[in-house]
Amino acid sequence: MTDQPIGAVEAGGTKFVLAVADAAGRIIDRTRIDTRTPDVTFPEMAAFFAAHGPLAGIGIASFGPIDINPASPAYGTFTTTPKPGWSGARFHDALAHLGAPLLIETDVNGAALGEWLSGAGQGCETLAYTTIGTGIGAGVLHRGAARGGISHLEAGHIRPVRDPVRDPFAGRCPYHGDCLEGLASGPAIIDRWGAPLDEAARTDPDAIPLIASYLADLAVSLVLLHMPDRLIFGGGVMKTPGLLESLRHQTELRLAGYVSHPRLDPGLATYIAAPALGDDAGITGAIALGQQASRQRGD
Amino acid sequence: MTDQPIGAVEAGGTKFVLAVADAAGRIIDRTRIDTRTPDVTFPEMAAFFAAHGPLAGIGIASFGPIDINPASPAYGTFTTTPKPGWSGARFHDALAHLGAPLLIETDVNGAALGEWLSGAGQGCETLAYTTIGTGIGAGVLHRGAARGGISHLEAGHIRPVRDPVRDPFAGRCPYHGDCLEGLASGPAIIDRWGAPLDEAARTDPDAIPLIASYLADLAVSLVLLHMPDRLIFGGGVMKTPGLLESLRHQTELRLAGYVSHPRLDPGLATYIAAPALGDDAGITGAIALGQQASRQRGD
């Protein structure tokens, strides 16, 4: 066991949150930098860590798509992201000179880990964490390990039921049009109503029920295909007053009592939860990944 | 290592397939009995095994819903099935007097295991096996272990996109109406067309594309929420000529190139496969479960 500190990165599409924590995970220093291109943002990130001396491990919870398979030669490399400059960028290239082992997960897997360790997911054997913001993504942990396969999950691109009379907006996903992310992400809400959801709800009484209906289709699929103990829904869009309640209601209607388990309480009031760590879920998970990286090195 | 034989059960809604295999898994004897009520079928099953002397372990791949959590006091008990007489029936009550350890999985998890060990799923780290028959279900294995949570998966009840002009049939699921099983199972096909799918296709040119469209919604959800190396689609309905091809085509259109991986070959010709073991996938998996049960006892 070293007493060297732990590094942590929550890499988002608009900002990077950086933190250094002691071996027990308590934050010593943190900052945030804007996400520009890797040739600018990566050196800023590395300089923050270098100022803290040798690190025992660095944990990263990152936007994607990104290779998170530790056995892959491309581990830590962004793949086909449309974000200019980021395809092919690799965390190891930016951080290897620090000599600390790295562990990398997706942003949602990292946030799920944070909530599982010290937030709304404590005690869950199977936990689904979904974020609704600039994009939509979900991470599913089973006994603390992220479920995935040939890639991390891409739950934001499932196909919800859209009634074109109720919702003539055709969706904005460049791949799928009216997939979930194309219909219910923050940018889709702005495209449809010219305003965030809380403002839209003032003039369109169906705004919140409509977005909740799409999210409920994802919630139902997560239940039926993963059977989690709990679903956490976070991200900027979920801060809209009334959205979580509408999501619970419509998910319960769709499940129609088919999944009978004490975890699915009346109204799904505890089964579908807000994040307990708020915006700190991601960096909390990244610190835990950094601790794991340190232990894997055998310190 | 004992040289006692292994027992295996593939328990379906219309028949039980029973087998006894040697320790290496080669079938010594097999039979099938009709599925009636547990007070009739369970003793018939037990008598078949008792005639083969002491068994080292018994593996069971069963219809559900059934408790498949080995840590649960209700392990091996049917839960809320509408099948008369079966709710509360428990395999252990019927087989405990034989003294062999039991391992129990769902029918689809058992079939997935069979295909993974010696069929179309060999070499897959993550494998999804779906059956389309009297019901619709999917099992997902990761490194040979079935994914689940508070229950086994219930993929048959996801909500596909139904266009009521194209398909006025409202669905027959007693819980959800037009969920996947309500729209695309064998009984739903009979309800809609008065005939099996191959016959329906002779008079309705949209019959196969319509059913394939619903199955493609499941295939896409399985890909995005589990990222399998391969999807196997089996069961009676899948034997309809042209259905597998239409499913591949529509799944590829829906994914729209978003998941880029060598496993997803052009036309998904190898990515979505028929079972290689045909109707023997389930009993093959059950024998493997019986072998596991034997090893867990420490023989």
Side-chain angles (χ1 to χ4, degrees):
Chain A
M1 186 73 182
T2 174
D3 56 1
Q4 288 175 355
I6 301 293
V9 182
E10 183 192 5
T14 57
K15 65 175 195 295
F16 274 42
V17 177
L18 309 173
V20 170
D22 65 19
R26 287 176 297 250
I27 292 177
I28 300 165
D29 191 14
R30 66 186 286 170
T31 190
R32 51 180 282 177
I33 59 178
D34 290 337
T35 306
R36 288 181 281 179
T37 51
D39 59 308
V40 177
T41 306
F42 271 176
E44 282 191 71
M45 169 182 72
F48 173 78
F49 289 128
H52 286 275
L55 300 174
I58 302 177
I60 298 164
S62 177
F63 71 101
I66 185 169
D67 188 330
I68 58 166
N69 175 8
S72 163
Y75 184 48
T77 306
F78 289 94
T79 56
T80 56
T81 175
K83 204 169 168 58
W86 286 90
S87 283
R90 183 165 195 240
F91 277 100
H92 294 75
D93 294 340
L95 297 172
H97 67 282
L98 298 176
L102 308 185
L103 270 181
I104 299 166
E105 273 292 354
T106 62
D107 43 10
V108 281
N109 286 344
L113 182 61
E115 291 287 337
W116 183 72
L117 289 169
S118 53
Q122 291 176 74
C124 290
E125 184 176 66
T126 313
L127 174 69
Y129 178 98
T130 304
T131 185
I132 318 291
T134 309
I136 295 179
V140 178
L141 301 188
H142 185 71
R143 296 176 186 165
R147 282 183 171 164
I150 56 174
S151 151
H152 51 77
L153 309 188
E154 286 285 4
H157 295 269
I158 68 158
R159 187 178 183 224
V161 177
R162 177 169 75 94
D163 172 351
V165 175
R166 182 182 182 191
D167 184 14
F169 179 66
R172 57 166 279 139
C173 174
Y175 289 88
H176 311 111
D178 60 356
C179 70
L180 181 63
E181 188 169 290
L183 290 171
S185 62
I189 289 165
I190 299 287
D191 278 6
R192 190 191 280 103
W193 287 293
L197 189 56
D198 54 344
E199 283 183 39
R202 282 177 218 143
T203 53
D204 181 349
D206 195 39
I208 286 173
L210 180 71
I211 295 302
S213 79
Y214 297 136
L215 301 181
D217 280 350
L218 173 59
V220 166
S221 291
L222 285 169
V223 172
L224 297 175
L225 293 185
H226 284 285
M227 291 289 170
D229 295 87
R230 175 168 287 165
L231 291 87
I232 299 174
F233 275 75
V237 171
M238 287 309 301
K239 294 175 182 172
T240 309
L243 181 59
L244 183 64
E245 290 74 13
S246 184
L247 168 62
R248 286 173 176 147
H249 176 64
Q250 296 191 59
T251 302
E252 189 174 39
L253 287 178
R254 277 167 178 60
L255 288 171
Y258 185 73
V259 179
S260 173
H261 190 279
R263 282 280 189 178
L264 283 80
D265 52 335
L268 307 183
T270 66
Y271 189 62
I272 301 184
L277 304 180
D279 295 333
D280 275 350
I283 198 68
T284 303
I287 291 169
L289 290 168
Q291 292 173 309
Q292 282 180 28
S294 164
R295 284 194 295 271
Q296 285 179 14
R297 190 168 63 171
D299 284 337
Chain B
M1 187 70 185
T2 175
D3 56 1
Q4 288 175 354
I6 300 293
V9 181
E10 182 192 6
T14 57
K15 67 175 192 295
F16 274 41
V17 177
L18 309 174
V20 170
D22 65 19
R26 287 176 296 252
I27 291 177
I28 300 166
D29 191 14
R30 68 186 286 170
T31 190
R32 52 179 283 178
I33 59 178
D34 291 337
T35 307
R36 289 181 282 179
T37 50
D39 59 309
V40 177
T41 307
F42 271 176
E44 282 191 69
M45 169 182 72
F48 173 78
F49 290 128
H52 286 275
L55 299 174
I58 301 177
I60 297 164
S62 177
F63 71 100
I66 186 169
D67 188 329
I68 57 166
N69 175 7
S72 162
Y75 184 48
T77 306
F78 290 94
T79 56
T80 57
T81 174
K83 203 168 169 59
W86 287 90
S87 284
R90 184 166 194 240
F91 278 101
H92 293 74
D93 294 339
L95 297 171
H97 67 283
L98 298 177
L102 307 186
L103 270 181
I104 299 166
E105 273 293 353
T106 62
D107 43 9
V108 282
N109 286 345
L113 182 61
E115 291 288 336
W116 183 71
L117 288 169
S118 52
Q122 290 176 74
C124 291
E125 184 176 66
T126 313
L127 174 68
Y129 178 98
T130 304
T131 186
I132 319 292
T134 308
I136 297 180
V140 178
L141 301 187
H142 186 71
R143 297 176 185 165
R147 283 181 170 167
I150 56 173
S151 151
H152 50 77
L153 309 188
E154 286 285 2
H157 293 270
I158 68 158
R159 187 179 184 223
V161 177
R162 177 169 74 93
D163 172 351
V165 175
R166 183 181 181 192
D167 184 13
F169 179 65
R172 58 166 279 139
C173 174
Y175 289 88
H176 312 109
D178 61 355
C179 70
L180 181 64
E181 188 169 289
L183 291 170
S185 62
I189 289 166
I190 299 286
D191 278 5
R192 190 191 280 102
W193 287 293
L197 189 58
D198 54 344
E199 284 182 39
R202 281 178 219 145
T203 54
D204 182 348
D206 195 38
I208 287 173
L210 180 70
I211 296 302
S213 79
Y214 297 136
L215 301 181
D217 281 350
L218 173 59
V220 166
S221 291
L222 285 169
V223 172
L224 297 175
L225 292 185
H226 284 285
M227 291 289 172
D229 296 88
R230 174 168 288 164
L231 292 88
I232 299 174
F233 274 76
V237 172
M238 287 309 300
K239 294 176 182 171
T240 309
L243 182 58
L244 183 64
E245 292 73 14
S246 184
L247 168 61
R248 286 174 176 144
H249 175 65
Q250 296 191 59
T251 303
E252 188 174 41
L253 286 178
R254 277 168 178 60
L255 288 171
Y258 184 73
V259 179
S260 174
H261 190 278
R263 282 279 189 178
L264 283 80
D265 52 335
L268 307 183
T270 67
Y271 189 63
I272 301 184
L277 304 181
D279 295 334
D280 275 350
I283 198 68
T284 304
I287 292 169
L289 290 169
Q291 293 173 308
Q292 282 180 28
S294 165
R295 284 193 296 270
Q296 286 180 14
R297 190 169 61 171
D299 284 336

